[in-house]
Amino acid sequence: FTPVKVKALLVKNTHATQGLSVSRPAAGVPIFTAASDAVPVPAGGCLLLFAPGAAGLATVTATSADLIDLVNGAGSEVTYEVIIIGASA
């Protein structure tokens, strides 16, 4: 799976009590305005980002813009599901 464009990102936090955050690391896919920007996803919640147009949500660039971070909120393990829809051009 090597998309050039991210069209949709779904992150579902399946943990019963622990929150997590979705963020853009320094070499991250630019789904957020700046590196280190983050969106919290509470226990049982989800984050859905969707852009069906030609530009999609963001362009993926190997080694410099190809990461998305999921970080647990309080140090214990978190369970989650991720769906990414991409396009090759």
Side-chain angles (χ1 to χ4, degrees):
F1 179 63
T2 53
V4 173
K5 301 285 185 182
V6 174
K7 300 284 191 158
L9 171 67
L10 173 66
V11 177
K12 180 181 178 186
N13 182 351
T14 58
H15 200 275
T17 60
Q18 181 69 33
L20 63 87
S21 64
V22 179
S23 64
R24 174 184 170 191
V29 176
I31 56 174
F32 301 120
T33 303
S36 77
D37 283 351
V39 175
V41 182
C46 68
L47 169 68
L48 173 62
L49 303 173
F50 178 65
L57 289 169
T59 299
V60 178
T61 306
T63 70
S64 64
D66 60 354
L67 303 173
I68 298 171
D69 278 353
L70 288 95
V71 181
N72 58 336
S76 63
E77 292 185 6
V78 175
T79 54
Y80 54 85
E81 297 173 355
V82 175
I83 297 173
I84 299 173
I85 298 174
S88 60

